[in-house]
Amino acid sequence: MSGRVVGFIAAGVMAIIMTLAAFSIVIDSRRAPVLQSTGVATVGGPFTLVGADGQEVTEKELLGKPSAVFFGFTFCPDVCPTTLFELTSLMEQLGSDADRINFVFISVDAGRDGPEEMKQYLTAFDERIIGLTGTEEQIDAVTQAYKVYYARVPVEGGDYTMDHTASVLLMDASGQFFGTMAYEEAPEVMLAKLKRLIDES
């Protein structure tokens, strides 16, 4: 085979490779917008609930300063009281800076946790913790907005308990998701997260 023929073949192969590469770039560029992300999780949003004083509360009343939001229920045997005592301790450590955060406890038990029950339950913790409850429909709406899991679980004797997300959700002053504090996370780590939430909001 002559050098001239080999040259033609090599040129043809190179042309094919370049064409495929260009085609691949065009395809990737068309796909790119689908893969782009803002990096901010879609957690939070509008809600209408009832405060421990019986008054309506919406998400707008939490805006203007960051929030630490925890979902649970007053009949909870361990996770909820443990978390609320931890939050109370963290608030004491924050001192006056604790006033710069909304600490919110939202019940997922519409059947047993009315305003009066929430008010009585929260007397065991820092008085600045805001208790919210609502109808089953209202609780469904707020848990869906905050991407929180909960489920009613029957127990022996005809009673029930509630499974639920155990993390505390951190939201910035504009209502955007900031991060989480895990159940029984090291206290110094949680305190650092709250300080960062204050500083960056």
Side-chain angles (χ1 to χ4, degrees):
M1 185 179 292
S2 70
R4 190 174 182 182
V5 173
V6 171
F8 279 132
I9 293 174
V13 170
M14 185 60 68
I16 291 171
I17 291 173
M18 292 178 68
T19 301
L20 290 174
F23 181 72
S24 176
I25 291 171
V26 170
I27 293 299
D28 287 344
S29 68
R30 290 179 178 175
R31 288 178 177 171
V34 178
L35 301 176
Q36 289 176 353
S37 171
T38 62
V40 179
T42 54
V43 176
F47 66 77
T48 299
L49 294 169
V50 179
D53 59 0
Q55 299 299 307
E56 181 179 281
V57 177
T58 73
E59 79 289 346
K60 294 177 182 177
E61 293 174 56
L62 301 181
L63 301 180
K65 61 181 183 178
S67 299
V69 184
F70 177 61
F71 290 79
F73 65 114
T74 66
F75 280 73
C76 182
D78 43 34
V79 173
C80 299
T82 297
T83 299
L84 291 169
F85 275 124
E86 286 178 337
L87 289 177
T88 294
S89 175
L90 290 167
M91 293 169 79
E92 291 174 356
Q93 293 176 67
L94 285 171
S96 60
D97 278 346
D99 294 330
R100 299 170 61 186
I101 302 178
N102 298 307
F103 290 88
V104 185
F105 175 56
I106 300 178
S107 175
V108 295
D109 189 357
R112 295 180 295 199
D113 290 345
E116 188 57 40
E117 287 76 17
M118 291 289 282
K119 181 178 181 180
Q120 180 60 37
Y121 182 72
L122 289 174
T123 58
F125 312 104
D126 192 289
E127 63 182 8
R128 291 167 292 184
I129 296 175
I130 302 166
L132 301 177
T133 185
T135 64
E136 189 170 337
E137 292 75 18
Q138 289 173 324
I139 292 171
D140 280 344
V142 71
T143 52
Q144 287 175 26
Y146 281 79
K147 306 297 186 289
V148 168
Y149 162 80
Y150 83 99
R152 178 169 168 160
V153 181
V155 295
E156 189 176 352
D159 204 354
Y160 68 91
T161 187
M162 304 294 293
D163 277 350
H164 61 89
T165 298
S167 299
V168 176
L169 304 178
L170 304 178
M171 313 296 292
D172 69 17
S174 63
Q176 297 297 309
F177 180 68
F178 187 85
T180 63
M181 295 194 302
Y183 176 59
E184 293 191 328
E185 191 168 26
E188 62 272 19
V189 174
M190 290 192 286
L191 183 61
K193 288 182 177 181
L194 290 175
K195 288 181 177 179
R196 181 167 162 255
L197 177 64
I198 292 170
D199 291 341
E200 298 187 19
S201 293

